[in-house]
Each structure stands twice: as structure tokens, then as C-alpha cells.
């Protein structure tokens, strides 16, 4: 029988994943209503305003950490706040929500490759095979199953932006593991949100100059509030609760189901169509990640 804490942990992980899945639907759904950097900018403004009352006091109490680690904070803020979600919103201009979510879950493979290159970690046969399967799934998706597309390298622009975002998220995730001690999670999140927004500001102003803002509909405002409050703040809180309850591995397995949730939301809200191509791509990526990240060939049966 499943204990109550375990049930709560999985419920938190599932809810956080669903909230993040909605971010891809918003990225696609608002592609013609609001410019990508404008959406990213107001997302973080909302997230900061909501988090500020809860995190400003501990942040001010730990300001010495900020002075000692300003370089580290700047890098993770640039990657995780300024670049990652901005690229997602750029990708949403030309790619479907289903494609975005499927490509997004490939970041563990990038973590493996970066660990091999920079940390000299050994990549076993299962991890190599997993990388091959994931790569095959992504190539199948972005080429739409046409070998001629691969030969001519005419991939969908949005798919490639999302692939770059996944690569950046992998670097960001690795750096988070090296976070210096001495600061609480809420204070760190608020600091990274603010620094990332500062980096984003000049690019937002340039975009605003080149692409004058359209009249904002009430549905657009609600979408911005959603990604700022639910996909940013609430999802983060739920995810951390899930990891503390059921562990990072179990929570990660729920995260890999993101394309399923994004697909359901995209079908309901955006009337997107799921094809057999999405099914086979998902199957290859899931099998690749399971083989590379979860399977341990050295583990003996008891």
C-alpha cells in the first residue's frame, strides 16, 4: 500500500510537470499575440512580484553571499532565466507545443555528454545506446520522417531553438548542483530572477523598439499571469517538495511524461493534431532516456 507521503510526493511532481507543460502551450498559443522576449520579460516581472514578499527578508539577511558569489549567480541567472525561457518562446513561434515538450526532455542526455567532456565521467554502453536512441527520436521529429530533409538540413527553426534551450538547461542544471552553500532556496530564486531580468531588459527594449507592442487582450494577460505565477513559482515549490519526498530519480521519471501532458493540453486548447510520427519519436526518446539515465548495468539482481 502506498504511504501518504509518497502519494503526496508523486502528486506534487505530477502537478508541477502539468504546470510546466502549460508553458509550452502558452509559448505556442501566444506566438502571434505577443513577441517572445516581451512574454519572457513580463513572466519574470510577475514571478518576482509574487515571490518578493516571501523572499526579500531572507535575501537581505544573506546579502554577503551575493557579494561573494556574484559571478556564479550571474551565470546561472543568464542561463536559467534570461536565455532558457526566452528560447522556448522563440521556438513557440514556429514549432508546435507537442514538439517543444518532447525536445525539452532531452536535457539529461546533454548532461551526460557535458559530464563526459568536462568532468571526465565514464559513459557506459547503456548511456551510449540511450544517446543514440534519443538522437534518433529527435531527428525523426524535426525531419518529419523525411530523409531528404536530413540531407538538405532544412529543419524547422523552432525545433532547433528548443534543442538549444535544452542544451542550455543542461548546463544550468549542472551548475545548480555546484551552488555554494550559505543561501536559502527562496532567496536564491529571487536573486536569480532579478539578475536574469536585468540581463533580459536591454534585449526586451530592443525588441520593443523593433516590434511595437500590440493591444493586450485579457486572455494574454491571464496567460502571462499563468506562466509567471504557476509555471514559475508554484511549479518550483511543488517540484522541490516532490524531490524532498520521493527523491530526484522518481520525480525525474514523472518529468519525462511532460510530452503526454503537453500533448493533451495542446489538443484541448490549441487543436493540435498528434500523429504516428509523434508516437514513434516519443517512444525512441523515452526508451533512450530510460536506458541512459535509469538503467544500471552494474546492479545485480537479488
Amino acid at each position: 500500500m502506498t504511504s501518504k507521503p509518497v502519494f503526496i510526493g508523486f502528486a506534487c511532481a505530477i502537478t508541477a510537470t502539468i504546470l510546466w507543460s502549460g508553458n509550452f502551450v502558452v509559448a505556442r498559443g501566444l506566438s502571434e499575440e505577443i513577441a517572445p522576449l516581451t512574454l519572457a520579460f513580463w513572466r519574470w516581472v510577475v514571478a518576482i512580484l509574487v515571490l518578493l514578499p516571501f523572499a526579500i527578508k531572507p535575501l537581505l539577511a544573506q546579502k554577503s553571499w551575493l557579494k561573494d558569489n556574484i559571478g556564479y549567480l550571474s551565470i546561472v541567472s543568464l542561463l536559467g532565466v534570461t536565455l532558457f525561457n526566452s528560447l522556448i518562446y522563440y521556438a513557440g513561434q514556429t514549432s508546435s507545443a507537442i514538439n517543444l515538450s518532447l525536445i525539452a526532455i532531452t536535457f539529461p542526455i546533454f548532461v551526460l555528454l557535458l559530464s563526459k567532456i568536462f568532468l571526465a565521467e565514464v559513459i557506459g554502453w547503456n548511456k551510449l545506446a540511450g544517446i543514440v536512441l534519443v538522437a534518433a527520436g529527435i531527428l525523426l521529429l524535426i525531419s518529419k520522417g523525411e530523409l531528404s530533409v536530413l540531407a538538405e538540413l532544412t529543419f524547422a527553426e523552432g525545433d532547433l531553438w528548443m534543442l538549444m534551450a535544452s542544451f542550455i538547461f543542461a548546463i544550468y542544471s549542472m551548475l545548480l548542483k555546484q551552488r555554494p552553500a550559505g543561501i536559502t532556496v527562496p532567496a536564491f530564486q529571487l536573486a536569480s530572477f532579478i539578475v536574469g531580468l536585468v540581463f533580459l531588459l536591454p534585449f526586451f527594449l530592443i525588441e520593443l523598439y523593433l516590434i511595437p507592442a500590440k493591444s493586450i487582450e485579457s486572455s494574454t494577460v491571464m496567460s502571462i499571469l499563468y506562466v509567471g505565477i504557476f509555471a514559475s513559482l508554484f511549479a518550483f515549490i511543488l517540484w522541490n517538495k516532490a524531490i524532498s519526498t520521493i527523491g530526484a530519480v522518481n520525480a525525474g521519471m514523472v518529468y519525462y511524461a511532460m510530452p503526454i501532458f503537453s500533448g493533451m493540453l495542446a489538443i484541448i486548447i490549441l487543436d493540435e493534431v498528434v500523429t504516428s510520427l509523434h508516437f514513434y519519436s516519443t517512444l525512441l526518446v523515452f526508451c533512450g532516456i530510460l536506458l541512459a539515465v535509469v538503467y544500471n548495468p552494474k546492479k545485480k539482481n537479488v
Side-chain angles (χ1 to χ4, degrees), residues 23-81:
N23 187 38
F24 297 112
V25 176
V26 169
R28 182 56 181 166
L30 295 184
S31 60
E32 296 181 4
E33 304 298 326
I34 186 170
L37 293 183
T38 301
L39 176 56
F41 178 83
W42 289 114
R43 167 189 179 156
W44 295 117
V45 168
V46 170
I48 289 170
L49 291 176
V50 174
L51 184 59
L52 198 63
F54 307 99
I56 186 62
K57 193 171 181 179
L59 179 61
L60 293 176
Q62 299 165 68
K63 58 185 179 181
S64 60
W65 185 96
L66 302 178
K67 295 179 181 178
D68 295 338
N69 299 281
I70 188 62
Y72 171 83
L73 178 64
S74 298
I75 293 174
V76 295
S77 300
L78 177 65
L79 295 174
V81 176

Short mmCIF file of all heavy atoms in Angstrom, two decimals, residues 23-81:
data_model
loop_
_atom_site.label_atom_id
_atom_site.label_comp_id
_atom_site.label_asym_id
_atom_site.label_seq_id
_atom_site.Cartn_x
_atom_site.Cartn_y
_atom_site.Cartn_z
N ASN A 23 3.33 25.76 -20.02
CA ASN A 23 4.21 26.81 -20.51
C ASN A 23 4.45 26.68 -22.02
O ASN A 23 4.53 27.67 -22.74
CB ASN A 23 5.55 26.77 -19.76
CG ASN A 23 6.45 27.94 -20.09
OD1 ASN A 23 6.00 29.07 -20.25
ND2 ASN A 23 7.74 27.68 -20.19
N PHE A 24 4.55 25.44 -22.50
CA PHE A 24 4.76 25.21 -23.93
C PHE A 24 3.50 25.54 -24.73
O PHE A 24 3.59 26.04 -25.85
CB PHE A 24 5.18 23.75 -24.18
CG PHE A 24 6.48 23.39 -23.53
CD1 PHE A 24 6.53 22.50 -22.47
CD2 PHE A 24 7.67 23.94 -23.98
CE1 PHE A 24 7.73 22.17 -21.86
CE2 PHE A 24 8.89 23.62 -23.39
CZ PHE A 24 8.91 22.74 -22.32
N VAL A 25 2.36 25.27 -24.13
CA VAL A 25 1.10 25.62 -24.79
C VAL A 25 0.95 27.13 -24.89
O VAL A 25 0.53 27.66 -25.92
CB VAL A 25 -0.10 25.01 -24.02
CG1 VAL A 25 -1.42 25.44 -24.65
CG2 VAL A 25 0.00 23.49 -24.00
N VAL A 26 1.34 27.84 -23.83
CA VAL A 26 1.31 29.31 -23.86
C VAL A 26 2.29 29.84 -24.90
O VAL A 26 1.97 30.76 -25.65
CB VAL A 26 1.64 29.89 -22.46
CG1 VAL A 26 1.86 31.40 -22.54
CG2 VAL A 26 0.51 29.58 -21.49
N ALA A 27 3.50 29.25 -24.94
CA ALA A 27 4.50 29.69 -25.91
C ALA A 27 3.98 29.60 -27.33
O ALA A 27 4.22 30.49 -28.16
CB ALA A 27 5.77 28.85 -25.76
N ARG A 28 3.25 28.53 -27.63
CA ARG A 28 2.69 28.35 -28.96
C ARG A 28 1.43 29.19 -29.16
O ARG A 28 1.26 29.83 -30.20
CB ARG A 28 2.37 26.87 -29.19
CG ARG A 28 1.81 26.57 -30.58
CD ARG A 28 2.76 27.04 -31.66
NE ARG A 28 2.24 26.77 -32.99
CZ ARG A 28 2.73 27.30 -34.10
NH1 ARG A 28 3.74 28.16 -34.04
NH2 ARG A 28 2.21 27.00 -35.28
N GLY A 29 0.57 29.20 -28.15
CA GLY A 29 -0.71 29.88 -28.29
C GLY A 29 -0.58 31.39 -28.42
O GLY A 29 -1.41 32.03 -29.08
N LEU A 30 0.47 31.99 -27.82
CA LEU A 30 0.65 33.44 -27.88
C LEU A 30 1.67 33.86 -28.95
O LEU A 30 2.10 35.02 -28.97
CB LEU A 30 1.11 33.98 -26.51
CG LEU A 30 0.12 33.85 -25.36
CD1 LEU A 30 0.68 34.51 -24.10
CD2 LEU A 30 -1.22 34.47 -25.71
N SER A 31 2.06 32.93 -29.81
CA SER A 31 3.11 33.21 -30.79
C SER A 31 2.78 34.38 -31.71
O SER A 31 3.67 35.07 -32.20
CB SER A 31 3.41 31.96 -31.63
OG SER A 31 2.25 31.53 -32.32
N GLU A 32 1.49 34.62 -31.93
CA GLU A 32 1.09 35.72 -32.81
C GLU A 32 0.53 36.91 -32.04
O GLU A 32 0.22 37.95 -32.63
CB GLU A 32 0.03 35.23 -33.81
CG GLU A 32 0.56 34.16 -34.77
CD GLU A 32 -0.51 33.72 -35.76
OE1 GLU A 32 -1.61 34.31 -35.73
OE2 GLU A 32 -0.23 32.80 -36.56
N GLU A 33 0.43 36.77 -30.73
CA GLU A 33 -0.18 37.83 -29.91
C GLU A 33 0.85 38.70 -29.22
O GLU A 33 0.61 39.90 -28.98
CB GLU A 33 -1.10 37.20 -28.85
CG GLU A 33 -2.19 36.30 -29.41
CD GLU A 33 -3.14 37.05 -30.32
OE1 GLU A 33 -3.39 38.25 -30.05
OE2 GLU A 33 -3.62 36.45 -31.31
N ILE A 34 1.99 38.14 -28.87
CA ILE A 34 2.99 38.88 -28.10
C ILE A 34 4.38 38.40 -28.51
O ILE A 34 4.59 37.20 -28.74
CB ILE A 34 2.76 38.69 -26.58
CG1 ILE A 34 3.70 39.57 -25.76
CG2 ILE A 34 2.87 37.23 -26.18
CD1 ILE A 34 3.34 39.59 -24.28
N ALA A 35 5.33 39.33 -28.62
CA ALA A 35 6.69 38.99 -29.02
C ALA A 35 7.35 38.14 -27.93
O ALA A 35 7.04 38.29 -26.74
CB ALA A 35 7.50 40.26 -29.26
N PRO A 36 8.27 37.23 -28.32
CA PRO A 36 8.82 36.26 -27.35
C PRO A 36 9.55 36.88 -26.16
O PRO A 36 9.35 36.44 -25.03
CB PRO A 36 9.76 35.40 -28.21
CG PRO A 36 9.98 36.18 -29.47
CD PRO A 36 8.74 36.97 -29.68
N LEU A 37 10.39 37.89 -26.40
CA LEU A 37 11.12 38.49 -25.29
C LEU A 37 10.19 39.31 -24.39
O LEU A 37 10.43 39.43 -23.19
CB LEU A 37 12.26 39.36 -25.81
CG LEU A 37 13.40 38.61 -26.50
CD1 LEU A 37 14.51 39.58 -26.90
CD2 LEU A 37 13.97 37.51 -25.62
N THR A 38 9.14 39.87 -24.98
CA THR A 38 8.15 40.59 -24.18
C THR A 38 7.43 39.63 -23.24
O THR A 38 7.21 39.94 -22.06
CB THR A 38 7.14 41.30 -25.10
OG1 THR A 38 7.83 42.20 -25.96
CG2 THR A 38 6.10 42.05 -24.29
N LEU A 39 7.08 38.45 -23.75
CA LEU A 39 6.44 37.44 -22.92
C LEU A 39 7.37 37.00 -21.82
O LEU A 39 6.97 36.87 -20.65
CB LEU A 39 6.03 36.24 -23.79
CG LEU A 39 5.44 35.03 -23.06
CD1 LEU A 39 4.22 35.42 -22.23
CD2 LEU A 39 5.07 33.93 -24.06
N ALA A 40 8.65 36.75 -22.15
CA ALA A 40 9.62 36.32 -21.14
C ALA A 40 9.82 37.41 -20.09
O ALA A 40 9.89 37.12 -18.88
CB ALA A 40 10.95 36.00 -21.82
N PHE A 41 9.92 38.67 -20.52
CA PHE A 41 10.15 39.78 -19.59
C PHE A 41 9.02 39.89 -18.57
O PHE A 41 9.26 39.93 -17.35
CB PHE A 41 10.29 41.09 -20.37
CG PHE A 41 10.49 42.30 -19.49
CD1 PHE A 41 11.76 42.61 -19.02
CD2 PHE A 41 9.42 43.11 -19.13
CE1 PHE A 41 11.95 43.72 -18.19
CE2 PHE A 41 9.61 44.22 -18.32
CZ PHE A 41 10.88 44.53 -17.85
N TRP A 42 7.78 39.92 -19.03
CA TRP A 42 6.66 40.09 -18.11
C TRP A 42 6.43 38.85 -17.27
O TRP A 42 5.92 38.94 -16.14
CB TRP A 42 5.40 40.48 -18.88
CG TRP A 42 5.48 41.89 -19.41
CD1 TRP A 42 5.53 42.28 -20.71
CD2 TRP A 42 5.56 43.08 -18.63
NE1 TRP A 42 5.64 43.64 -20.80
CE2 TRP A 42 5.66 44.17 -19.54
CE3 TRP A 42 5.56 43.35 -17.26
CZ2 TRP A 42 5.75 45.48 -19.11
CZ3 TRP A 42 5.65 44.67 -16.82
CH2 TRP A 42 5.75 45.71 -17.76
N ARG A 43 6.84 37.69 -17.79
CA ARG A 43 6.76 36.47 -16.97
C ARG A 43 7.59 36.63 -15.70
O ARG A 43 7.12 36.35 -14.59
CB ARG A 43 7.26 35.27 -17.76
CG ARG A 43 7.49 34.04 -16.88
CD ARG A 43 8.18 32.91 -17.60
NE ARG A 43 8.38 31.78 -16.67
CZ ARG A 43 8.53 30.52 -17.04
NH1 ARG A 43 8.50 30.21 -18.32
NH2 ARG A 43 8.69 29.57 -16.15
N TRP A 44 8.83 37.10 -15.86
CA TRP A 44 9.71 37.21 -14.70
C TRP A 44 9.34 38.37 -13.81
O TRP A 44 9.57 38.33 -12.60
CB TRP A 44 11.17 37.28 -15.17
CG TRP A 44 11.60 36.02 -15.84
CD1 TRP A 44 12.00 35.86 -17.13
CD2 TRP A 44 11.63 34.71 -15.25
NE1 TRP A 44 12.28 34.54 -17.40
CE2 TRP A 44 12.07 33.81 -16.26
CE3 TRP A 44 11.34 34.20 -13.98
CZ2 TRP A 44 12.21 32.44 -16.05
CZ3 TRP A 44 11.48 32.84 -13.76
CH2 TRP A 44 11.91 31.97 -14.78
N VAL A 45 8.77 39.43 -14.38
CA VAL A 45 8.27 40.53 -13.55
C VAL A 45 7.19 40.01 -12.61
O VAL A 45 7.20 40.30 -11.40
CB VAL A 45 7.72 41.67 -14.43
CG1 VAL A 45 6.95 42.67 -13.57
CG2 VAL A 45 8.85 42.39 -15.16
N VAL A 46 6.26 39.23 -13.15
CA VAL A 46 5.18 38.67 -12.33
C VAL A 46 5.75 37.73 -11.27
O VAL A 46 5.36 37.78 -10.09
CB VAL A 46 4.17 37.92 -13.22
CG1 VAL A 46 3.18 37.13 -12.36
CG2 VAL A 46 3.42 38.90 -14.10
N ALA A 47 6.68 36.86 -11.67
CA ALA A 47 7.27 35.90 -10.73
C ALA A 47 7.98 36.62 -9.59
O ALA A 47 7.88 36.22 -8.42
CB ALA A 47 8.25 34.98 -11.47
N ILE A 48 8.70 37.69 -9.90
CA ILE A 48 9.42 38.46 -8.87
C ILE A 48 8.44 39.12 -7.91
O ILE A 48 8.61 39.08 -6.69
CB ILE A 48 10.33 39.52 -9.53
CG1 ILE A 48 11.52 38.83 -10.21
CG2 ILE A 48 10.84 40.52 -8.49
CD1 ILE A 48 12.33 39.76 -11.09
N LEU A 49 7.39 39.74 -8.45
CA LEU A 49 6.41 40.43 -7.61
C LEU A 49 5.70 39.46 -6.66
O LEU A 49 5.42 39.81 -5.50
CB LEU A 49 5.39 41.15 -8.48
CG LEU A 49 5.91 42.36 -9.27
CD1 LEU A 49 4.81 42.92 -10.16
CD2 LEU A 49 6.44 43.43 -8.33
N VAL A 50 5.43 38.25 -7.13
CA VAL A 50 4.75 37.26 -6.29
C VAL A 50 5.69 36.70 -5.22
O VAL A 50 5.30 36.49 -4.07
CB VAL A 50 4.18 36.11 -7.15
CG1 VAL A 50 3.60 35.01 -6.26
CG2 VAL A 50 3.10 36.65 -8.08
N LEU A 51 6.96 36.48 -5.59
CA LEU A 51 7.93 35.89 -4.66
C LEU A 51 8.49 36.91 -3.67
O LEU A 51 8.90 36.54 -2.56
CB LEU A 51 9.08 35.27 -5.46
CG LEU A 51 10.16 34.51 -4.70
CD1 LEU A 51 9.56 33.36 -3.90
CD2 LEU A 51 11.23 33.99 -5.66
N LEU A 52 8.49 38.18 -4.05
CA LEU A 52 9.14 39.24 -3.26
C LEU A 52 8.72 39.27 -1.79
O LEU A 52 9.59 39.30 -0.91
CB LEU A 52 8.87 40.60 -3.92
CG LEU A 52 9.79 41.75 -3.52
CD1 LEU A 52 11.23 41.46 -3.95
CD2 LEU A 52 9.32 43.05 -4.17
N PRO A 53 7.43 39.26 -1.46
CA PRO A 53 7.05 39.35 -0.04
C PRO A 53 7.57 38.20 0.82
O PRO A 53 7.77 38.36 2.02
CB PRO A 53 5.51 39.34 -0.08
CG PRO A 53 5.15 39.74 -1.47
CD PRO A 53 6.24 39.19 -2.34
N PHE A 54 7.79 37.04 0.20
CA PHE A 54 8.21 35.85 0.95
C PHE A 54 9.73 35.70 1.03
O PHE A 54 10.24 35.06 1.94
CB PHE A 54 7.62 34.59 0.31
CG PHE A 54 6.13 34.64 0.12
CD1 PHE A 54 5.58 34.96 -1.10
CD2 PHE A 54 5.28 34.39 1.19
CE1 PHE A 54 4.20 35.02 -1.28
CE2 PHE A 54 3.90 34.44 1.03
CZ PHE A 54 3.36 34.76 -0.21
N ALA A 55 10.46 36.29 0.07
CA ALA A 55 11.89 36.02 -0.03
C ALA A 55 12.78 37.23 0.17
O ALA A 55 13.99 37.08 0.32
CB ALA A 55 12.20 35.40 -1.40
N ILE A 56 12.20 38.43 0.21
CA ILE A 56 13.05 39.62 0.31
C ILE A 56 13.80 39.69 1.64
O ILE A 56 14.97 40.08 1.71
CB ILE A 56 12.23 40.91 0.08
CG1 ILE A 56 13.15 42.12 0.03
CG2 ILE A 56 11.16 41.07 1.14
CD1 ILE A 56 14.15 42.11 -1.09
N LYS A 57 13.11 39.29 2.74
CA LYS A 57 13.76 39.36 4.06
C LYS A 57 14.95 38.41 4.15
O LYS A 57 16.04 38.83 4.55
CB LYS A 57 12.73 39.07 5.16
CG LYS A 57 13.21 39.41 6.55
CD LYS A 57 12.07 39.31 7.57
CE LYS A 57 12.57 39.69 8.96
NZ LYS A 57 11.46 39.62 9.96
N PRO A 58 14.79 37.10 3.80
CA PRO A 58 15.96 36.22 3.85
C PRO A 58 17.04 36.63 2.84
O PRO A 58 18.23 36.42 3.10
CB PRO A 58 15.40 34.84 3.51
CG PRO A 58 14.07 35.09 2.91
CD PRO A 58 13.56 36.35 3.51
N LEU A 59 16.65 37.21 1.72
CA LEU A 59 17.65 37.64 0.73
C LEU A 59 18.52 38.77 1.30
O LEU A 59 19.75 38.73 1.17
CB LEU A 59 16.95 38.11 -0.55
CG LEU A 59 17.87 38.63 -1.66
CD1 LEU A 59 18.82 37.53 -2.12
CD2 LEU A 59 17.06 39.15 -2.84
N LEU A 60 17.89 39.74 1.93
CA LEU A 60 18.65 40.84 2.53
C LEU A 60 19.53 40.35 3.68
O LEU A 60 20.63 40.87 3.90
CB LEU A 60 17.69 41.93 3.04
CG LEU A 60 16.91 42.69 1.96
CD1 LEU A 60 15.92 43.66 2.60
CD2 LEU A 60 17.86 43.41 1.01
N ALA A 61 19.06 39.34 4.39
CA ALA A 61 19.84 38.79 5.51
C ALA A 61 21.06 38.02 5.02
O ALA A 61 22.01 37.81 5.78
CB ALA A 61 18.96 37.88 6.37
N GLN A 62 21.04 37.58 3.75
CA GLN A 62 22.14 36.79 3.20
C GLN A 62 22.86 37.54 2.06
O GLN A 62 23.38 36.93 1.14
CB GLN A 62 21.60 35.45 2.67
CG GLN A 62 20.95 34.63 3.77
CD GLN A 62 20.08 33.49 3.24
OE1 GLN A 62 20.57 32.54 2.66
NE2 GLN A 62 18.77 33.61 3.44
N LYS A 63 22.85 38.88 2.13
CA LYS A 63 23.45 39.67 1.06
C LYS A 63 24.96 39.47 0.94
O LYS A 63 25.54 39.70 -0.12
CB LYS A 63 23.14 41.15 1.26
CG LYS A 63 23.60 41.73 2.58
CD LYS A 63 23.13 43.17 2.71
CE LYS A 63 23.55 43.76 4.06
NZ LYS A 63 23.06 45.17 4.21
N SER A 64 25.61 39.03 2.02
CA SER A 64 27.05 38.75 1.94
C SER A 64 27.33 37.61 0.96
O SER A 64 28.36 37.60 0.27
CB SER A 64 27.62 38.40 3.32
OG SER A 64 26.96 37.24 3.84
N TRP A 65 26.40 36.64 0.88
CA TRP A 65 26.54 35.54 -0.09
C TRP A 65 26.51 36.09 -1.50
O TRP A 65 27.28 35.63 -2.37
CB TRP A 65 25.42 34.54 0.11
CG TRP A 65 25.52 33.30 -0.74
CD1 TRP A 65 26.06 32.10 -0.38
CD2 TRP A 65 25.09 33.14 -2.10
NE1 TRP A 65 25.99 31.20 -1.42
CE2 TRP A 65 25.40 31.82 -2.50
CE3 TRP A 65 24.48 33.98 -3.02
CZ2 TRP A 65 25.12 31.32 -3.77
CZ3 TRP A 65 24.20 33.49 -4.30
CH2 TRP A 65 24.51 32.18 -4.66
N LEU A 66 25.65 37.06 -1.75
CA LEU A 66 25.54 37.65 -3.08
C LEU A 66 26.85 38.32 -3.50
O LEU A 66 27.29 38.19 -4.64
CB LEU A 66 24.40 38.67 -3.12
CG LEU A 66 23.00 38.14 -2.75
CD1 LEU A 66 21.99 39.28 -2.79
CD2 LEU A 66 22.60 37.03 -3.70
N LYS A 67 27.48 39.02 -2.57
CA LYS A 67 28.75 39.69 -2.88
C LYS A 67 29.85 38.68 -3.17
O LYS A 67 30.66 38.88 -4.08
CB LYS A 67 29.16 40.59 -1.71
CG LYS A 67 28.21 41.75 -1.46
CD LYS A 67 28.67 42.57 -0.26
CE LYS A 67 27.71 43.73 0.00
NZ LYS A 67 28.13 44.52 1.21
N ASP A 68 29.87 37.60 -2.41
CA ASP A 68 30.94 36.60 -2.57
C ASP A 68 30.74 35.73 -3.81
O ASP A 68 31.70 35.14 -4.32
CB ASP A 68 31.00 35.70 -1.33
CG ASP A 68 31.40 36.47 -0.08
OD1 ASP A 68 32.01 37.55 -0.22
OD2 ASP A 68 31.06 36.01 1.03
N ASN A 69 29.50 35.60 -4.29
CA ASN A 69 29.21 34.67 -5.38
C ASN A 69 28.50 35.34 -6.56
O ASN A 69 27.72 34.70 -7.26
CB ASN A 69 28.34 33.52 -4.85
CG ASN A 69 29.01 32.72 -3.75
OD1 ASN A 69 29.85 31.87 -4.01
ND2 ASN A 69 28.64 33.02 -2.51
N ILE A 70 28.79 36.62 -6.79
CA ILE A 70 28.11 37.35 -7.85
C ILE A 70 28.40 36.76 -9.23
O ILE A 70 27.53 36.77 -10.11
CB ILE A 70 28.50 38.86 -7.81
CG1 ILE A 70 27.63 39.65 -8.78
CG2 ILE A 70 29.98 39.03 -8.07
CD1 ILE A 70 26.17 39.63 -8.48
N GLY A 71 29.60 36.23 -9.43
CA GLY A 71 29.94 35.62 -10.72
C GLY A 71 29.10 34.39 -10.99
O GLY A 71 28.53 34.24 -12.09
N TYR A 72 29.02 33.51 -10.00
CA TYR A 72 28.20 32.30 -10.14
C TYR A 72 26.74 32.66 -10.35
O TYR A 72 26.07 32.11 -11.23
CB TYR A 72 28.35 31.44 -8.88
CG TYR A 72 27.39 30.27 -8.81
CD1 TYR A 72 27.66 29.07 -9.47
CD2 TYR A 72 26.18 30.38 -8.10
CE1 TYR A 72 26.77 28.01 -9.42
CE2 TYR A 72 25.29 29.32 -8.05
CZ TYR A 72 25.59 28.14 -8.71
OH TYR A 72 24.69 27.11 -8.67
N LEU A 73 26.23 33.58 -9.55
CA LEU A 73 24.83 33.98 -9.65
C LEU A 73 24.53 34.56 -11.04
O LEU A 73 23.47 34.28 -11.61
CB LEU A 73 24.50 35.01 -8.57
CG LEU A 73 23.07 35.57 -8.58
CD1 LEU A 73 22.07 34.46 -8.28
CD2 LEU A 73 22.93 36.69 -7.55
N SER A 74 25.45 35.33 -11.58
CA SER A 74 25.24 35.95 -12.90
C SER A 74 25.14 34.89 -13.99
O SER A 74 24.28 34.98 -14.87
CB SER A 74 26.39 36.91 -13.21
OG SER A 74 26.42 37.97 -12.28
N ILE A 75 25.99 33.87 -13.92
CA ILE A 75 26.00 32.84 -14.96
C ILE A 75 24.71 32.02 -14.92
O ILE A 75 24.06 31.80 -15.95
CB ILE A 75 27.22 31.92 -14.81
CG1 ILE A 75 28.50 32.70 -15.10
CG2 ILE A 75 27.12 30.72 -15.76
CD1 ILE A 75 29.77 31.93 -14.82
N VAL A 76 24.31 31.54 -13.73
CA VAL A 76 23.10 30.71 -13.64
C VAL A 76 21.85 31.52 -13.97
O VAL A 76 20.89 30.99 -14.55
CB VAL A 76 22.97 30.03 -12.25
CG1 VAL A 76 24.09 29.05 -12.01
CG2 VAL A 76 22.88 31.06 -11.14
N SER A 77 21.85 32.80 -13.62
CA SER A 77 20.70 33.66 -13.94
C SER A 77 20.60 33.89 -15.45
O SER A 77 19.50 33.87 -16.02
CB SER A 77 20.81 35.01 -13.22
OG SER A 77 20.86 34.83 -11.82
N LEU A 78 21.73 34.11 -16.08
CA LEU A 78 21.75 34.32 -17.53
C LEU A 78 21.24 33.08 -18.26
O LEU A 78 20.43 33.17 -19.19
CB LEU A 78 23.18 34.64 -17.99
CG LEU A 78 23.38 34.81 -19.51
CD1 LEU A 78 22.62 36.03 -20.02
CD2 LEU A 78 24.87 34.93 -19.83
N LEU A 79 21.70 31.90 -17.82
CA LEU A 79 21.30 30.65 -18.48
C LEU A 79 19.86 30.27 -18.16
O LEU A 79 19.06 30.00 -19.07
CB LEU A 79 22.24 29.52 -18.05
CG LEU A 79 23.70 29.63 -18.48
CD1 LEU A 79 24.52 28.51 -17.85
CD2 LEU A 79 23.83 29.59 -19.99
N GLY A 80 19.51 30.21 -16.87
CA GLY A 80 18.22 29.67 -16.45
C GLY A 80 17.05 30.63 -16.59
O GLY A 80 15.91 30.19 -16.78
N VAL A 81 17.30 31.93 -16.48
CA VAL A 81 16.21 32.91 -16.53
C VAL A 81 16.21 33.66 -17.86
O VAL A 81 15.21 33.68 -18.58
CB VAL A 81 16.32 33.91 -15.35
CG1 VAL A 81 15.26 34.99 -15.45
CG2 VAL A 81 16.21 33.17 -14.02
#
